[in-house]
Amino acid sequence: MTTPATTYWLPNRLAEADYDDITALESAAYAVFQNDWTDFPLFRGDEVRVYRHPHKANGDRWHTYWHAVTEGSPEEEWTSPVPERLERIPWCRPVVDHENDPAIKVWANVRGRDQHICIWFDRVNYIVILKQCKDHFLLKTTYCPRSRRKQQLHREYSAWKKTGRAL
């Protein structure tokens, strides 16, 4: 069973109950991800790319996909996908495509030496993180922030808005 979309452009999420087990859900999520990322969308005029080479923890899956559906540290040990992330994989590309929707918050932050772009659809509690590269963006990850992280994101976004900086 799928849940109804909250916004006309947001597809239904995959529902764990629709699949025999986590393996079937994961296979369905990967098929959606591959289909959605066969071409590269534009974000603010530059392509958003994904790493298609194999992930160290799962050589059968694209690196970016596996990074988006797992969590933990060290990354090489990310062997179990998170059902909540798998179910929402159909939202990844549409959130990037609809970053101009007034319900979506977009801002930049710095992680280490990298500038990341946060695209957060907080109405459905889903965030997409892009890494800004020289001539493109790289899809880093996606997730559903937990309550403490949601509070941090609200603070980050408010602080960004106060700076008046553009992306």
Side-chain angles (χ1 to χ4, degrees):
M1 168 145 227
T2 56
T3 57
T6 318
T7 303
Y8 71 93
W9 53 262
L10 188 67
N12 291 332
R13 66 180 180 83
L14 302 174
E16 189 174 6
D18 286 349
Y19 299 92
D20 295 335
D21 56 25
I22 188 81
T23 304
L25 174 61
E26 190 278 324
S27 291
Y30 188 55
V32 168
F33 190 85
Q34 284 182 299
N35 185 62
D36 284 354
W37 293 92
T38 56
D39 65 343
F40 300 125
L42 294 180
F43 176 81
R44 310 280 163 112
D46 290 322
E47 286 184 346
V48 177
R49 300 179 187 168
V50 297
Y51 279 150
R52 292 184 176 155
H53 62 272
H55 192 278
K56 292 177 185 177
N58 186 341
D60 293 339
R61 299 294 189 244
W62 291 350
H63 184 275
T64 299
Y65 164 78
W66 201 247
H67 199 274
V69 299
T70 58
E71 63 186 0
S73 184
E75 185 173 343
E76 294 77 24
E77 295 178 14
W78 296 356
T79 57
S80 299
V82 178
E84 180 180 55
R85 289 181 173 207
L86 291 171
E87 291 174 348
R88 288 160 179 80
I89 276 297
W91 295 355
C92 183
R93 172 75 185 252
V95 167
V96 172
D97 287 341
H98 292 88
E99 53 94 10
N100 287 320
D101 186 306
I104 294 182
K105 297 175 179 174
V106 181
W107 73 98
N109 67 23
V110 177
R111 294 288 189 256
R113 296 179 299 176
D114 299 326
Q115 177 162 298
H116 288 170
I117 305 300
C118 302
I119 308 171
W120 186 27
F121 193 6
D122 67 342
R123 184 182 303 160
V124 296
N125 193 33
Y126 188 73
I127 190 165
V128 176
I129 308 294
L130 308 178
K131 176 183 172 185
Q132 190 165 14
C133 301
K134 190 173 188 173
D135 63 349
H136 66 278
F137 293 94
L138 175 67
L139 175 62
K140 289 292 289 183
T141 195
T142 67
Y143 62 95
C144 302
R146 309 233 190 289
S147 61
R148 179 170 283 176
R149 182 65 179 133
K150 282 171 62 173
Q151 292 170 358
Q152 285 178 306
L153 292 171
H154 280 295
R155 285 192 299 273
E156 275 184 28
Y157 178 72
S158 294
W160 171 264
K161 290 293 283 182
K162 287 178 185 174
T163 69
R165 290 187 294 177
L167 293 178

